[in-house]
Amino acid sequence: MERLNEDGQWIVLMGLLVAVGIFFLALIINQSALVGQTTSEAVLEFPKSDIRDISGEMQDLADAWEGLTEAQKANLKNDITTLSLYRKNAIVDFDVTSGTSSDGDFHLVGLHYNNGVTVYNDTTPYYY
């Protein structure tokens, strides 16, 4: 009886193992690309510059707030809310109150920002 040559089976088995290994590596690389993409999208969607722009305007507005009439205050608040809604698709609301502390007189500005993805609430004192 002739002896069987089984060396070819090992070659096929090693080829199968290499193919399965390459498949798992491709799957892992694909998942890491998706995670990186969603992380970068979250960073890009955060409206940091919009919030900074509105905060800067609120600081300028706080200095002039006491000299305005109630009608001017209402018109100004309506204008800022409408502009932010139409230009940035964000709901902006703010309150300005005055106060006194041991550090001096201040305006307390409460800012609410919501664009559907990011909600930001801040209360900042501006001393004068």
Side-chain angles (χ1 to χ4, degrees), residues 54-113:
I54 293 171
S55 295
E57 291 300 320
M58 291 299 109
Q59 184 175 4
D60 295 339
L61 179 65
D63 294 334
W65 192 256
E66 292 298 321
L68 300 175
T69 64
E70 291 301 319
Q72 289 173 330
K73 290 178 184 179
N75 287 337
L76 190 59
K77 192 170 186 175
N78 186 27
D79 288 346
I80 290 174
T81 309
T82 305
L83 283 172
S84 65
L85 186 61
Y86 285 113
R87 290 185 180 172
K88 301 292 183 177
N89 292 327
I91 298 171
V92 173
D93 190 27
F94 65 92
D95 297 328
V96 179
T97 56
S98 298
T100 305
S101 69
S102 60
D103 294 332
D105 296 333
F106 64 91
H107 295 292
L108 194 62
V109 177
L111 176 64
H112 171 74
Y113 179 92

Side-chain angles (χ1 to χ4, degrees), residues 16-32:
L16 180 67
L17 288 175
V18 168
V20 170
I22 290 173
F23 176 75
F24 281 124
L25 284 176
L27 186 66
I28 290 170
I29 290 171
N30 187 20
Q31 290 298 321
S32 68

